[in-house]
Amino acid sequence: MIKSRICELLNIKYPILQGGMAWVSTAELAAAVSNAGGLGIIGSAAMTPEILRNEIKKAKELTSKPFGVNLMLMSQQIKELVEVVKNDGVPVVTTGAGNPGIYMEAFHKKGIKVIPVIPSVAFAKRLERGGADALIAEGTESGGHVGELTTMALVPQVVDAVKVPVIAAGGIGDGRGVAASFALGAEGVQIGTRFIVANECTVHENYKEMVIKAGDRDTVITGRKTGHPVRIIENRLAKEFMRLEAGGASVEELEKLGAGKLRSAAVEGDMVFGSVMCGQIAGLVKKRQSSKEIVEEIMSEAEAILKNLQNRVG
Ligand code: TUI
């Protein structure tokens, strides 16, 4: 059994968080991961406040275990989404794509744990000072909106810089990734891509198939120029985006091309002009399983690896 401060902080059995992916992480997936002993997280980035309220209600019907909501801080309706989270009995919030500092006190007053994603040591220190309960150090191997540093470089530097527990994210898809994360000093992991293909994940079948087919070099980062670099599978949309970027297209033009494309992929199954966000670890995601099978397989692999590694010493 791998124990850490993350299990105690979040009142969960296994130190695995499921990434709160926009259009992908619905109540069904989050509840299944929480029921499996991890922390399921609803991705609210593309939700209206009403939809989020409904998803939280659904998650509570499907699990009695703790679950979380991810807030994408660039969301148009962030203030309203924050209100929903504060008022609807959500125990944990993760944040991405910005600074959650202004909401920290209000969440804590409601007893909500706040775990921001951070892409650098400076940001980690700032948010620890601001009261973050733990931090997710997310490397550029991740899908979706990414920072510059790799997980391997970021995690140990963040671990050395803060006292709160650190959760590693980016490029983790099996027990080897969990064992490596703990070796770097992390006390938990956040996994997104592997859960895209979970049976309980409601994303379009074509999206799951695309992740299963993807190899190690099939993702690219688009949108560096817009200030919002996003890792997606290289398809016609990605190629068109890169062509326009290389040709000096304006930020407005690029944002217009990207608008609504994640929905096209996740809901309509458009794998040609849709934005198929996923991490570099997609190459090792080869089978569909239940969330419970995924969580248990990853944790038993990690335990075996950590035990066997002792044989390499001395
Ligand atoms: O947020 C994510 N990943 C996401 S959000 C998303 S939705 C989206 N859709 C279309 C275009 C763009 C996004 C898809 N994937 N991960 C967490 C994350 N946060 N990664 C990096 C960061 C981050 C970056 C800068 C966090 C803080 C930060 O600070 C900047 C500052 O100084 O405020």
mmCIF file of all heavy atoms in Angstrom, residues 22 45 70 72 74 95-99 117-119 123 126 138 143-147 228 230 262 277, ligand 1:
data_model
loop_
_atom_site.group_PDB
_atom_site.id
_atom_site.type_symbol
_atom_site.label_atom_id
_atom_site.label_comp_id
_atom_site.label_asym_id
_atom_site.label_seq_id
_atom_site.Cartn_x
_atom_site.Cartn_y
_atom_site.Cartn_z
ATOM 1 N N ALA A 22 -11.539 19.129 -19.929
ATOM 2 C CA ALA A 22 -12.703 19.803 -20.526
ATOM 3 C C ALA A 22 -13.391 18.885 -21.538
ATOM 4 O O ALA A 22 -12.711 18.259 -22.357
ATOM 5 C CB ALA A 22 -12.255 21.079 -21.229
ATOM 6 N N ALA A 45 -14.307 23.286 -17.498
ATOM 7 C CA ALA A 45 -13.871 24.344 -18.430
ATOM 8 C C ALA A 45 -14.915 24.712 -19.477
ATOM 9 O O ALA A 45 -15.063 25.868 -19.821
ATOM 10 C CB ALA A 45 -12.575 23.936 -19.115
ATOM 11 N N ASN A 70 -12.380 20.679 -11.425
ATOM 12 C CA ASN A 70 -11.302 21.511 -11.959
ATOM 13 C C ASN A 70 -11.888 22.798 -12.520
ATOM 14 O O ASN A 70 -12.852 22.764 -13.285
ATOM 15 C CB ASN A 70 -10.537 20.781 -13.074
ATOM 16 C CG ASN A 70 -9.519 21.706 -13.732
ATOM 17 O OD1 ASN A 70 -9.762 22.292 -14.785
ATOM 18 N ND2 ASN A 70 -8.377 21.883 -13.099
ATOM 19 N N MET A 72 -10.964 25.939 -14.867
ATOM 20 C CA MET A 72 -10.022 26.493 -15.835
ATOM 21 C C MET A 72 -10.168 28.011 -15.714
ATOM 22 O O MET A 72 -11.216 28.566 -16.045
ATOM 23 C CB MET A 72 -10.383 25.983 -17.231
ATOM 24 C CG MET A 72 -9.226 25.907 -18.180
ATOM 25 S SD MET A 72 -8.876 27.469 -18.945
ATOM 26 C CE MET A 72 -10.099 27.449 -20.236
ATOM 27 N N MET A 74 -9.203 30.588 -17.160
ATOM 28 C CA MET A 74 -9.463 31.471 -18.319
ATOM 29 C C MET A 74 -10.914 31.368 -18.789
ATOM 30 O O MET A 74 -11.302 32.064 -19.732
ATOM 31 C CB MET A 74 -8.542 31.087 -19.487
ATOM 32 C CG MET A 74 -7.078 31.372 -19.242
ATOM 33 S SD MET A 74 -6.051 31.190 -20.726
ATOM 34 C CE MET A 74 -6.588 29.645 -21.404
ATOM 35 N N THR A 95 -7.125 23.842 -9.971
ATOM 36 C CA THR A 95 -7.250 24.944 -10.921
ATOM 37 C C THR A 95 -6.189 24.816 -11.992
ATOM 38 O O THR A 95 -5.148 24.201 -11.768
ATOM 39 C CB THR A 95 -7.091 26.317 -10.232
ATOM 40 O OG1 THR A 95 -5.740 26.457 -9.768
ATOM 41 C CG2 THR A 95 -8.059 26.481 -9.073
ATOM 42 N N GLY A 96 -6.456 25.404 -13.155
ATOM 43 C CA GLY A 96 -5.480 25.399 -14.237
ATOM 44 C C GLY A 96 -5.501 26.705 -14.993
ATOM 45 O O GLY A 96 -6.461 27.486 -14.881
ATOM 46 N N ALA A 97 -4.429 26.939 -15.735
ATOM 47 C CA ALA A 97 -4.341 28.054 -16.677
ATOM 48 C C ALA A 97 -4.474 29.424 -16.021
ATOM 49 O O ALA A 97 -5.095 30.327 -16.585
ATOM 50 C CB ALA A 97 -5.371 27.865 -17.783
ATOM 51 N N GLY A 98 -3.907 29.580 -14.840
ATOM 52 C CA GLY A 98 -3.928 30.899 -14.208
ATOM 53 C C GLY A 98 -3.691 30.841 -12.715
ATOM 54 O O GLY A 98 -3.307 29.808 -12.169
ATOM 55 N N ASN A 99 -3.951 31.991 -12.066
ATOM 56 C CA ASN A 99 -3.679 32.150 -10.635
ATOM 57 C C ASN A 99 -4.994 32.167 -9.837
ATOM 58 O O ASN A 99 -5.788 33.092 -9.988
ATOM 59 C CB ASN A 99 -2.920 33.473 -10.430
ATOM 60 C CG ASN A 99 -2.446 33.648 -9.010
ATOM 61 O OD1 ASN A 99 -2.911 32.978 -8.093
ATOM 62 N ND2 ASN A 99 -1.523 34.563 -8.828
ATOM 63 N N VAL A 117 -2.724 23.803 -10.388
ATOM 64 C CA VAL A 117 -1.674 23.314 -11.292
ATOM 65 C C VAL A 117 -0.665 24.442 -11.455
ATOM 66 O O VAL A 117 -1.042 25.597 -11.674
ATOM 67 C CB VAL A 117 -2.258 22.926 -12.668
ATOM 68 C CG1 VAL A 117 -1.132 22.724 -13.691
ATOM 69 C CG2 VAL A 117 -3.096 21.667 -12.562
ATOM 70 N N ILE A 118 0.621 24.089 -11.339
ATOM 71 C CA ILE A 118 1.668 25.106 -11.497
ATOM 72 C C ILE A 118 2.705 24.599 -12.512
ATOM 73 O O ILE A 118 3.047 23.419 -12.520
ATOM 74 C CB ILE A 118 2.334 25.442 -10.136
ATOM 75 C CG1 ILE A 118 2.773 24.168 -9.375
ATOM 76 C CG2 ILE A 118 1.381 26.214 -9.239
ATOM 77 C CD1 ILE A 118 4.144 23.750 -9.632
ATOM 78 N N PRO A 119 3.183 25.514 -13.381
ATOM 79 C CA PRO A 119 4.160 25.096 -14.398
ATOM 80 C C PRO A 119 5.601 25.487 -14.066
ATOM 81 O O PRO A 119 6.488 25.263 -14.877
ATOM 82 C CB PRO A 119 3.676 25.849 -15.636
ATOM 83 C CG PRO A 119 3.094 27.122 -15.092
ATOM 84 C CD PRO A 119 2.646 26.861 -13.669
ATOM 85 N N PHE A 123 5.946 30.047 -9.532
ATOM 86 C CA PHE A 123 4.488 30.011 -9.361
ATOM 87 C C PHE A 123 4.106 29.099 -8.191
ATOM 88 O O PHE A 123 3.170 29.381 -7.445
ATOM 89 C CB PHE A 123 3.854 29.529 -10.660
ATOM 90 C CG PHE A 123 2.503 30.113 -10.921
ATOM 91 C CD1 PHE A 123 2.337 31.489 -11.035
ATOM 92 C CD2 PHE A 123 1.400 29.294 -11.036
ATOM 93 C CE1 PHE A 123 1.084 32.033 -11.252
ATOM 94 C CE2 PHE A 123 0.139 29.828 -11.256
ATOM 95 C CZ PHE A 123 -0.013 31.199 -11.367
ATOM 96 N N ARG A 126 4.700 31.054 -4.999
ATOM 97 C CA ARG A 126 3.691 32.103 -4.836
ATOM 98 C C ARG A 126 2.373 31.502 -4.321
ATOM 99 O O ARG A 126 1.728 32.024 -3.424
ATOM 100 C CB ARG A 126 3.470 32.814 -6.166
ATOM 101 C CG ARG A 126 2.795 34.162 -5.961
ATOM 102 C CD ARG A 126 2.406 34.865 -7.249
ATOM 103 N NE ARG A 126 3.396 34.804 -8.304
ATOM 104 C CZ ARG A 126 3.118 35.068 -9.597
ATOM 105 N NH1 ARG A 126 1.900 35.398 -9.958
ATOM 106 N NH2 ARG A 126 4.044 35.002 -10.501
ATOM 107 N N GLU A 138 2.798 20.153 -13.220
ATOM 108 C CA GLU A 138 2.417 19.531 -14.490
ATOM 109 C C GLU A 138 3.435 19.816 -15.571
ATOM 110 O O GLU A 138 3.671 20.966 -15.934
ATOM 111 C CB GLU A 138 1.032 20.052 -14.909
ATOM 112 C CG GLU A 138 0.462 19.335 -16.110
ATOM 113 C CD GLU A 138 -0.858 19.933 -16.571
ATOM 114 O OE1 GLU A 138 -1.892 19.640 -15.955
ATOM 115 O OE2 GLU A 138 -0.844 20.683 -17.557
ATOM 116 N N GLY A 143 -1.500 16.643 -21.983
ATOM 117 C CA GLY A 143 -2.369 17.102 -23.058
ATOM 118 C C GLY A 143 -2.971 18.444 -22.698
ATOM 119 O O GLY A 143 -2.935 18.864 -21.550
ATOM 120 N N GLY A 144 -3.531 19.109 -23.689
ATOM 121 C CA GLY A 144 -4.196 20.388 -23.456
ATOM 122 C C GLY A 144 -3.207 21.504 -23.220
ATOM 123 O O GLY A 144 -2.087 21.491 -23.746
ATOM 124 N N HIS A 145 -3.615 22.458 -22.409
ATOM 125 C CA HIS A 145 -2.836 23.663 -22.138
ATOM 126 C C HIS A 145 -1.581 23.296 -21.340
ATOM 127 O O HIS A 145 -1.691 22.725 -20.261
ATOM 128 C CB HIS A 145 -3.726 24.616 -21.345
ATOM 129 C CG HIS A 145 -3.109 25.929 -21.035
ATOM 130 N ND1 HIS A 145 -2.671 26.782 -22.005
ATOM 131 C CD2 HIS A 145 -2.871 26.545 -19.859
ATOM 132 C CE1 HIS A 145 -2.178 27.866 -21.436
ATOM 133 N NE2 HIS A 145 -2.292 27.745 -20.136
ATOM 134 N N VAL A 146 -0.414 23.600 -21.863
ATOM 135 C CA VAL A 146 0.828 23.125 -21.230
ATOM 136 C C VAL A 146 1.830 24.245 -20.958
ATOM 137 O O VAL A 146 1.822 25.279 -21.619
ATOM 138 C CB VAL A 146 1.541 22.052 -22.098
ATOM 139 C CG1 VAL A 146 0.766 20.762 -22.095
ATOM 140 C CG2 VAL A 146 1.789 22.554 -23.519
ATOM 141 N N GLY A 147 2.703 23.984 -19.976
ATOM 142 C CA GLY A 147 3.849 24.852 -19.720
ATOM 143 C C GLY A 147 5.062 24.360 -20.500
ATOM 144 O O GLY A 147 4.944 23.517 -21.395
ATOM 145 N N HIS A 228 -1.412 30.585 -25.542
ATOM 146 C CA HIS A 228 -2.072 29.423 -24.941
ATOM 147 C C HIS A 228 -1.625 28.158 -25.658
ATOM 148 O O HIS A 228 -2.374 27.588 -26.445
ATOM 149 C CB HIS A 228 -3.605 29.532 -25.038
ATOM 150 C CG HIS A 228 -4.137 30.825 -24.511
ATOM 151 N ND1 HIS A 228 -3.810 31.299 -23.271
ATOM 152 C CD2 HIS A 228 -4.954 31.750 -25.066
ATOM 153 C CE1 HIS A 228 -4.417 32.469 -23.079
ATOM 154 N NE2 HIS A 228 -5.115 32.773 -24.159
ATOM 155 N N VAL A 230 -1.138 24.511 -26.646
ATOM 156 C CA VAL A 230 -2.033 23.378 -26.387
ATOM 157 C C VAL A 230 -1.493 22.136 -27.089
ATOM 158 O O VAL A 230 -1.224 22.167 -28.296
ATOM 159 C CB VAL A 230 -3.467 23.697 -26.889
ATOM 160 C CG1 VAL A 230 -4.361 22.479 -26.770
ATOM 161 C CG2 VAL A 230 -4.066 24.866 -26.104
ATOM 162 N N LEU A 262 -12.524 21.645 -29.670
ATOM 163 C CA LEU A 262 -12.455 20.562 -28.685
ATOM 164 C C LEU A 262 -13.821 19.876 -28.589
ATOM 165 O O LEU A 262 -13.921 18.659 -28.511
ATOM 166 C CB LEU A 262 -12.011 21.109 -27.317
ATOM 167 C CG LEU A 262 -11.906 20.089 -26.179
ATOM 168 C CD1 LEU A 262 -10.957 18.947 -26.533
ATOM 169 C CD2 LEU A 262 -11.431 20.774 -24.889
ATOM 170 N N MET A 277 -7.157 16.751 -27.814
ATOM 171 C CA MET A 277 -6.148 16.989 -26.791
ATOM 172 C C MET A 277 -5.798 15.679 -26.093
ATOM 173 O O MET A 277 -6.687 14.949 -25.656
ATOM 174 C CB MET A 277 -6.671 17.983 -25.752
ATOM 175 C CG MET A 277 -6.916 19.364 -26.312
ATOM 176 S SD MET A 277 -7.425 20.527 -25.031
ATOM 177 C CE MET A 277 -7.779 21.969 -26.045
HETATM 178 O O1 TUI B 1 -5.353 23.780 -17.733
HETATM 179 C C1 TUI B 1 -4.708 22.835 -18.106
HETATM 180 N N1 TUI B 1 -4.982 22.156 -19.235
HETATM 181 C C2 TUI B 1 -6.007 22.439 -20.090
HETATM 182 S S1 TUI B 1 -7.141 23.668 -19.898
HETATM 183 C C3 TUI B 1 -7.856 23.257 -21.323
HETATM 184 S S2 TUI B 1 -9.243 24.094 -21.937
HETATM 185 C C4 TUI B 1 -8.601 24.996 -23.177
HETATM 186 N N2 TUI B 1 -9.278 24.987 -24.296
HETATM 187 C C5 TUI B 1 -8.852 25.689 -25.350
HETATM 188 C C6 TUI B 1 -7.696 26.429 -25.292
HETATM 189 C C7 TUI B 1 -6.973 26.429 -24.146
HETATM 190 C C8 TUI B 1 -7.412 25.692 -23.069
HETATM 191 C C9 TUI B 1 -7.214 22.226 -21.893
HETATM 192 N N3 TUI B 1 -6.196 21.780 -21.181
HETATM 193 N N4 TUI B 1 -3.668 22.388 -17.392
HETATM 194 C C10 TUI B 1 -3.245 23.056 -16.225
HETATM 195 C C11 TUI B 1 -2.183 24.020 -16.551
HETATM 196 N N5 TUI B 1 -2.099 25.191 -15.994
HETATM 197 N N6 TUI B 1 -1.187 23.861 -17.423
HETATM 198 C C12 TUI B 1 -0.431 24.984 -17.366
HETATM 199 C C13 TUI B 1 -1.036 25.810 -16.460
HETATM 200 C C14 TUI B 1 -0.651 27.118 -16.027
HETATM 201 C C15 TUI B 1 -0.016 28.009 -16.888
HETATM 202 C C16 TUI B 1 0.314 29.281 -16.437
HETATM 203 C C17 TUI B 1 -0.956 27.512 -14.735
HETATM 204 C C18 TUI B 1 -0.621 28.768 -14.296
HETATM 205 C C19 TUI B 1 0.001 29.628 -15.147
HETATM 206 O O2 TUI B 1 0.295 30.846 -14.649
HETATM 207 C C20 TUI B 1 0.334 31.946 -15.496
HETATM 208 C C21 TUI B 1 0.138 33.162 -14.656
HETATM 209 O O3 TUI B 1 1.143 33.749 -14.291
HETATM 210 O O4 TUI B 1 -1.023 33.455 -14.357
#
